[in-house]
Amino acid sequence: MATEERLFDAALAYVTDLFAGDSSGHDRFHTLRVFHTALRLAKEEGADPLITGLAALLHDADDRKLSPGTSESLSNARRFLTEQGVAADTAGAVLTAIGEVSFRGTDSAVPSTVEGKCVQDADRLDAIGAIGIARAFAYGGAHHRAMHDPAVPPRRDMDAAAYYAHEATTVNHFYEKLLLLKDLMNTETGRRIAAERDRCLRDFLAEFYAEWDGER
Ligand code: ADP
Ligand code: NI
């Protein structure tokens, strides 16, 4: 097996273990979707496939919800890269991409590398469209959040601290994050896919409110 494929397989096995029992929306299938989308974007953008693929597979290994103690040091991802003997410059590029991927309200970073841009777009695409809707409600349920409360308005322009501290209803999460993502895409292909998935979110919300208000 080529080194690249062997590393991809090992990275998937490594994060599958880390994610066992997680309910914060991070799982093996999310990782696989981000991996496939990121590689597709990488091809269009001329990004390095090894760096993009490894960053996609490891992007949630140190996520602040999953592993708060390592979200700054990225030590789970770092350990994997060291154990596998990945070359220092490749490992460094993977860690840079992972460090810049997360949504943090108005403090979100625009990734400094094309590989980081592909992974960030792929991760964000998985938060919108039909899968994104399913993930949002799964997350809300796991955190005992109300689905919707008409008396609680969505908040705008939250910085990282406010965004992390905030306990949104799931419908408000659409306004506080999901509907913002289509305008934050880094790549042309990402923008095109995001436009379709954003339409899916808006159709869903229109139907949701119509049923909520007894109009259907
Ligand atoms: P990312 O993978 O971009 O770092 P997060 O860790 O913020 O995303 O979220 C993982 C998943 O959980 C995403 O699908 C996201 O939309 C969803 N999610 C995060 N916060 C909330 C929330 N407050 N309400 C509903 N869904 C949420
Ligand atoms: Ni993710």
Side-chain angles (χ1 to χ4, degrees), residues 30-57:
H30 163 65
T31 296
L32 274 173
R33 289 189 301 269
V34 172
F35 174 66
H36 291 303
T37 308
L39 285 184
R40 172 177 166 196
L41 299 179
K43 211 173 214 171
E44 312 267 347
E45 299 293 315
D48 182 274
L50 178 62
I51 294 168
T52 306
L54 283 176
L57 290 168

Side-chain angles (χ1 to χ4, degrees), residues 116-169:
K117 289 181 170 149
C118 293
V119 178
Q120 188 183 71
D121 278 9
D123 192 32
R124 289 174 169 180
L125 285 169
D126 206 51
I128 55 180
I131 298 242
I133 295 171
R135 288 180 76 214
F137 286 97
Y139 180 99
H143 290 77
H144 311 288
R145 305 266 172 85
M147 189 163 79
H148 178 47
D149 183 345
V152 181
R155 288 187 52 182
R156 314 267 169 190
D157 299 323
M158 286 185 278
D159 62 11
Y163 178 74
Y164 289 147
H166 182 58
E167 301 217 337
T169 65

